[in-house]
Short mmCIF file of all heavy atoms in Angstrom, two decimals:
data_model
loop_
_atom_site.label_atom_id
_atom_site.label_comp_id
_atom_site.label_asym_id
_atom_site.label_seq_id
_atom_site.Cartn_x
_atom_site.Cartn_y
_atom_site.Cartn_z
N ASP A 354 -9.51 17.37 -13.32
CA ASP A 354 -9.54 16.91 -14.72
C ASP A 354 -8.19 16.34 -15.13
O ASP A 354 -8.11 15.31 -15.81
CB ASP A 354 -9.92 18.06 -15.66
CG ASP A 354 -11.36 18.51 -15.50
OD1 ASP A 354 -12.16 17.74 -14.92
OD2 ASP A 354 -11.68 19.62 -15.94
N LEU A 355 -7.11 17.01 -14.70
CA LEU A 355 -5.77 16.56 -15.04
C LEU A 355 -5.49 15.18 -14.43
O LEU A 355 -4.90 14.31 -15.08
CB LEU A 355 -4.75 17.59 -14.54
CG LEU A 355 -3.32 17.49 -15.07
CD1 LEU A 355 -3.30 17.57 -16.59
CD2 LEU A 355 -2.46 18.62 -14.47
N LEU A 356 -5.93 14.99 -13.21
CA LEU A 356 -5.77 13.68 -12.58
C LEU A 356 -6.58 12.62 -13.30
O LEU A 356 -6.09 11.52 -13.59
CB LEU A 356 -6.21 13.76 -11.12
CG LEU A 356 -5.15 14.03 -10.05
CD1 LEU A 356 -5.78 14.02 -8.67
CD2 LEU A 356 -4.03 13.01 -10.13
N ARG A 357 -7.83 12.93 -13.57
CA ARG A 357 -8.72 11.95 -14.22
C ARG A 357 -8.23 11.60 -15.62
O ARG A 357 -8.25 10.43 -16.02
CB ARG A 357 -10.14 12.50 -14.27
CG ARG A 357 -10.86 12.48 -12.93
CD ARG A 357 -12.20 13.18 -13.00
NE ARG A 357 -12.95 13.02 -11.76
CZ ARG A 357 -14.00 13.76 -11.42
NH1 ARG A 357 -14.42 14.72 -12.26
NH2 ARG A 357 -14.62 13.57 -10.28
N ASP A 358 -7.77 12.60 -16.36
CA ASP A 358 -7.30 12.35 -17.72
C ASP A 358 -6.04 11.50 -17.74
O ASP A 358 -5.73 10.85 -18.74
CB ASP A 358 -7.03 13.68 -18.44
CG ASP A 358 -8.30 14.46 -18.72
OD1 ASP A 358 -9.39 13.87 -18.64
OD2 ASP A 358 -8.20 15.67 -19.01
N SER A 359 -5.29 11.50 -16.63
CA SER A 359 -4.07 10.69 -16.56
C SER A 359 -4.39 9.21 -16.43
O SER A 359 -3.52 8.36 -16.65
CB SER A 359 -3.22 11.13 -15.37
OG SER A 359 -3.83 10.72 -14.14
N GLY A 360 -5.63 8.90 -16.04
CA GLY A 360 -6.01 7.50 -15.85
C GLY A 360 -5.54 6.90 -14.54
O GLY A 360 -5.68 5.69 -14.33
N LEU A 361 -4.99 7.72 -13.65
CA LEU A 361 -4.48 7.22 -12.39
C LEU A 361 -5.61 6.91 -11.41
O LEU A 361 -6.63 7.59 -11.36
CB LEU A 361 -3.55 8.25 -11.74
CG LEU A 361 -2.25 8.57 -12.47
CD1 LEU A 361 -1.57 9.75 -11.83
CD2 LEU A 361 -1.34 7.35 -12.45
N GLU A 362 -5.39 5.89 -10.61
CA GLU A 362 -6.30 5.59 -9.51
C GLU A 362 -5.89 6.47 -8.33
O GLU A 362 -4.70 6.61 -8.02
CB GLU A 362 -6.20 4.12 -9.13
CG GLU A 362 -7.18 3.71 -8.02
CD GLU A 362 -7.02 2.25 -7.63
OE1 GLU A 362 -6.22 1.54 -8.27
OE2 GLU A 362 -7.68 1.84 -6.65
N CYS A 363 -6.87 7.06 -7.67
CA CYS A 363 -6.56 8.02 -6.61
C CYS A 363 -7.29 7.69 -5.32
O CYS A 363 -8.42 7.19 -5.32
CB CYS A 363 -6.96 9.43 -7.04
SG CYS A 363 -6.07 10.04 -8.48
N VAL A 364 -6.61 7.99 -4.21
CA VAL A 364 -7.22 7.96 -2.88
C VAL A 364 -7.34 9.42 -2.43
O VAL A 364 -6.36 10.17 -2.48
CB VAL A 364 -6.33 7.19 -1.88
CG1 VAL A 364 -6.94 7.23 -0.49
CG2 VAL A 364 -6.13 5.76 -2.35
N PHE A 365 -8.53 9.83 -2.01
CA PHE A 365 -8.77 11.23 -1.65
C PHE A 365 -8.96 11.39 -0.15
O PHE A 365 -9.58 10.54 0.51
CB PHE A 365 -10.02 11.75 -2.38
CG PHE A 365 -9.82 11.96 -3.85
CD1 PHE A 365 -10.07 10.92 -4.74
CD2 PHE A 365 -9.38 13.18 -4.34
CE1 PHE A 365 -9.89 11.10 -6.10
CE2 PHE A 365 -9.20 13.37 -5.71
CZ PHE A 365 -9.45 12.33 -6.59
N ASN A 366 -8.44 12.50 0.37
CA ASN A 366 -8.73 12.90 1.75
C ASN A 366 -10.12 13.52 1.76
O ASN A 366 -10.31 14.62 1.24
CB ASN A 366 -7.68 13.90 2.23
CG ASN A 366 -7.99 14.46 3.61
OD1 ASN A 366 -8.96 14.07 4.26
ND2 ASN A 366 -7.16 15.39 4.07
N THR A 367 -11.06 12.85 2.36
CA THR A 367 -12.44 13.34 2.39
C THR A 367 -12.85 13.82 3.78
O THR A 367 -14.04 14.03 4.04
CB THR A 367 -13.41 12.23 1.93
OG1 THR A 367 -13.28 11.09 2.80
CG2 THR A 367 -13.13 11.81 0.50
N THR A 368 -11.88 14.01 4.68
CA THR A 368 -12.20 14.39 6.05
C THR A 368 -12.56 15.86 6.20
O THR A 368 -13.18 16.25 7.18
CB THR A 368 -11.02 14.08 6.99
OG1 THR A 368 -9.91 14.92 6.62
CG2 THR A 368 -10.61 12.62 6.89
N GLY A 369 -12.12 16.69 5.21
CA GLY A 369 -12.35 18.12 5.33
C GLY A 369 -11.40 18.81 6.29
O GLY A 369 -11.61 19.97 6.66
N ARG A 370 -10.35 18.13 6.70
CA ARG A 370 -9.35 18.69 7.61
C ARG A 370 -7.98 18.15 7.22
O ARG A 370 -7.86 17.27 6.38
CB ARG A 370 -9.66 18.32 9.07
CG ARG A 370 -9.78 16.83 9.28
CD ARG A 370 -9.65 16.41 10.73
NE ARG A 370 -9.98 15.01 10.90
CZ ARG A 370 -9.18 14.00 10.57
NH1 ARG A 370 -7.99 14.25 10.04
NH2 ARG A 370 -9.55 12.75 10.75
N ARG A 371 -6.95 18.69 7.89
CA ARG A 371 -5.58 18.23 7.65
C ARG A 371 -5.44 16.76 8.03
O ARG A 371 -5.90 16.33 9.10
CB ARG A 371 -4.59 19.07 8.44
CG ARG A 371 -3.13 18.77 8.15
CD ARG A 371 -2.21 19.65 8.98
NE ARG A 371 -2.46 21.07 8.71
CZ ARG A 371 -1.89 22.06 9.38
NH1 ARG A 371 -1.05 21.79 10.38
NH2 ARG A 371 -2.16 23.31 9.06
N ALA A 372 -4.81 15.98 7.17
CA ALA A 372 -4.62 14.55 7.43
C ALA A 372 -3.65 14.33 8.58
O ALA A 372 -2.67 15.06 8.74
CB ALA A 372 -4.10 13.85 6.18
N LYS A 373 -3.93 13.32 9.39
CA LYS A 373 -3.06 12.94 10.50
C LYS A 373 -2.04 11.90 10.02
O LYS A 373 -2.22 11.25 8.99
CB LYS A 373 -3.88 12.37 11.65
CG LYS A 373 -4.92 13.35 12.20
CD LYS A 373 -5.77 12.70 13.28
CE LYS A 373 -6.82 13.65 13.81
NZ LYS A 373 -7.68 13.01 14.82
N ARG A 374 -0.98 11.75 10.81
CA ARG A 374 0.10 10.82 10.44
C ARG A 374 -0.45 9.41 10.21
O ARG A 374 -0.11 8.74 9.24
CB ARG A 374 1.17 10.77 11.54
CG ARG A 374 1.96 12.05 11.69
CD ARG A 374 2.98 11.97 12.82
NE ARG A 374 4.08 11.07 12.48
CZ ARG A 374 4.20 9.83 12.93
NH1 ARG A 374 3.27 9.30 13.71
NH2 ARG A 374 5.25 9.11 12.59
N GLU A 375 -1.29 8.95 11.13
CA GLU A 375 -1.81 7.60 11.03
C GLU A 375 -2.65 7.42 9.77
O GLU A 375 -2.63 6.35 9.14
CB GLU A 375 -2.67 7.25 12.26
CG GLU A 375 -1.99 7.47 13.61
CD GLU A 375 -1.94 8.94 14.02
OE1 GLU A 375 -2.93 9.67 13.82
OE2 GLU A 375 -0.86 9.35 14.50
N GLU A 376 -3.37 8.46 9.39
CA GLU A 376 -4.19 8.40 8.19
C GLU A 376 -3.31 8.35 6.94
O GLU A 376 -3.59 7.59 6.01
CB GLU A 376 -5.13 9.60 8.14
CG GLU A 376 -6.20 9.56 9.23
CD GLU A 376 -6.97 10.86 9.37
OE1 GLU A 376 -6.41 11.93 9.04
OE2 GLU A 376 -8.14 10.80 9.81
N LEU A 377 -2.26 9.16 6.93
CA LEU A 377 -1.34 9.12 5.79
C LEU A 377 -0.74 7.74 5.62
O LEU A 377 -0.62 7.23 4.50
CB LEU A 377 -0.21 10.14 5.99
CG LEU A 377 -0.61 11.63 5.97
CD1 LEU A 377 0.59 12.48 6.37
CD2 LEU A 377 -1.12 12.04 4.60
N MET A 378 -0.36 7.13 6.72
CA MET A 378 0.25 5.80 6.68
C MET A 378 -0.72 4.75 6.17
O MET A 378 -0.34 3.82 5.45
CB MET A 378 0.79 5.45 8.07
CG MET A 378 1.93 6.36 8.51
SD MET A 378 2.30 6.30 10.28
CE MET A 378 3.18 4.75 10.36
N GLU A 379 -1.98 4.92 6.53
CA GLU A 379 -3.02 3.97 6.07
C GLU A 379 -3.38 4.23 4.60
O GLU A 379 -3.37 3.31 3.78
CB GLU A 379 -4.27 4.11 6.94
CG GLU A 379 -5.43 3.23 6.49
CD GLU A 379 -6.71 3.49 7.26
OE1 GLU A 379 -6.66 4.24 8.27
OE2 GLU A 379 -7.76 2.97 6.84
N TRP A 380 -3.67 5.47 4.27
CA TRP A 380 -4.12 5.79 2.91
C TRP A 380 -3.00 5.60 1.88
O TRP A 380 -3.27 5.24 0.74
CB TRP A 380 -4.59 7.25 2.84
CG TRP A 380 -5.74 7.59 3.73
CD1 TRP A 380 -6.64 6.73 4.28
CD2 TRP A 380 -6.10 8.90 4.19
NE1 TRP A 380 -7.55 7.42 5.04
CE2 TRP A 380 -7.25 8.75 5.01
CE3 TRP A 380 -5.57 10.17 4.00
CZ2 TRP A 380 -7.87 9.84 5.64
CZ3 TRP A 380 -6.19 11.25 4.61
CH2 TRP A 380 -7.31 11.09 5.42
N GLY A 381 -1.77 5.88 2.30
CA GLY A 381 -0.67 5.88 1.33
C GLY A 381 0.11 4.58 1.25
O GLY A 381 1.15 4.54 0.59
N ALA A 382 -0.38 3.54 1.88
CA ALA A 382 0.39 2.28 1.98
C ALA A 382 0.79 1.73 0.62
O ALA A 382 1.88 1.15 0.48
CB ALA A 382 -0.41 1.25 2.76
#
């Protein structure tokens, strides 16, 4: 709710596991 109320656009980790380095680099570009 706090994120949504801020109006920010978000990218979520939907893998259900710890993110890998390559995924962080792609998602967080």
Side-chain angles (χ1 to χ4, degrees):
D354 291 343
L355 195 57
L356 266 182
R357 286 174 173 164
D358 291 345
S359 72
L361 295 171
E362 183 182 355
C363 297
V364 177
F365 288 89
N366 175 3
T367 59
T368 65
R370 55 162 171 76
R371 186 180 301 174
K373 300 176 181 178
R374 292 178 71 258
E375 306 77 41
E376 292 169 333
L377 293 173
M378 295 164 76
E379 176 187 351
W380 299 339

